Amino acid sequence: MQSSNNVRNFGMTFLYNGKEVYNSQENKAFEYTFLETGTYRIMYKVTDDGGLSLSPSYQVDIIEYEAPAISFNKNFKEQVKQGETYQLPNYTVSDNVTENPIVFVTVVTPTCNVKKVEDNKITFEEKGKYIVRYFVYDDFYNFVLKEFVIYAI
């Protein structure tokens, strides 16, 4: 005759970024919806009739894939005069999770030099095609890239 122990007690605890968000010792199934990005730890505790227990735990990382957005307060000029200093349009960035997405603004000159844009201004020192690039990324490295072409004549 084979003996078997039945589960006497079943419970689970959910932690979200280290803080308890759910605890049940009710011996019943349940559903949990992950509403926030972050790290969850799910801990089970099962005890059988013989008093033996097992406590496995699992880590679940919830991330998001939505890129940030960038908008500008006016259109970009398409042409400027060589030697002119141009104040670029102001921009606003937003993201569904990250409070302050990171913004890098660069310009590619007609001779293919890449320069960081300082003070939101560009001086067009040589004639030709310039490409202004806005690279914006959030805490999950989702990104958006916007490019604008301006010709110095």
Side-chain angles (χ1 to χ4, degrees):
M1 180 170 196
Q2 183 178 9
S3 69
S4 84
N5 290 330
N6 295 315
V7 171
R8 180 174 41 120
N9 191 16
F10 173 83
M12 63 177 33
T13 303
F14 275 53
L15 301 177
Y16 170 65
N17 292 337
K19 294 183 180 178
E20 188 174 295
V21 293
Y22 181 85
N23 188 329
S24 172
Q25 303 301 321
E26 299 178 7
N27 295 325
K28 66 179 185 180
F30 76 100
E31 290 184 21
Y32 186 87
T33 303
F34 298 98
L35 297 174
E36 301 285 334
T37 58
T39 300
Y40 290 81
R41 177 148 307 274
I42 305 165
M43 298 179 296
Y44 298 95
K45 183 166 184 181
V46 179
T47 306
D48 67 14
D49 287 337
L52 298 174
S53 66
L54 181 64
S55 298
S57 69
Y58 302 93
Q59 179 173 310
V60 178
D61 293 312
I62 305 298
I63 60 173
E64 60 89 26
Y65 294 100
E66 187 174 326
I70 184 169
S71 59
F72 300 90
N73 69 333
K74 62 183 179 179
N75 292 332
F76 283 74
K77 284 186 176 180
E78 294 180 10
Q79 285 187 353
V80 295
K81 293 183 178 174
Q82 181 182 4
E84 180 181 337
T85 297
Y86 173 52
Q87 178 72 45
L88 296 170
N90 292 325
Y91 60 84
T92 303
V93 295
S94 61
D95 187 67
N96 62 325
V97 174
T98 303
E99 193 169 316
N100 295 306
I102 304 297
V103 181
F104 287 108
V105 184
T106 59
V107 61
V108 181
T109 68
T111 54
C112 296
N113 291 319
V114 178
K115 297 179 180 179
K116 181 179 178 185
V117 173
E118 301 288 344
D119 300 322
N120 213 32
K121 295 178 187 175
I122 299 173
T123 299
F124 295 85
E125 297 169 352
E126 51 194 301
K127 288 185 179 183
K129 177 181 175 180
Y130 289 76
I131 302 169
V132 181
R133 291 187 176 138
Y134 291 80
F135 180 74
V136 184
Y137 71 93
D138 65 17
D139 290 344
F140 295 95
Y141 298 100
N142 302 308
F143 69 91
V144 62
L145 176 67
K146 296 281 186 176
E147 293 185 338
F148 300 92
V149 174
I150 302 172
Y151 289 93
I153 54 172

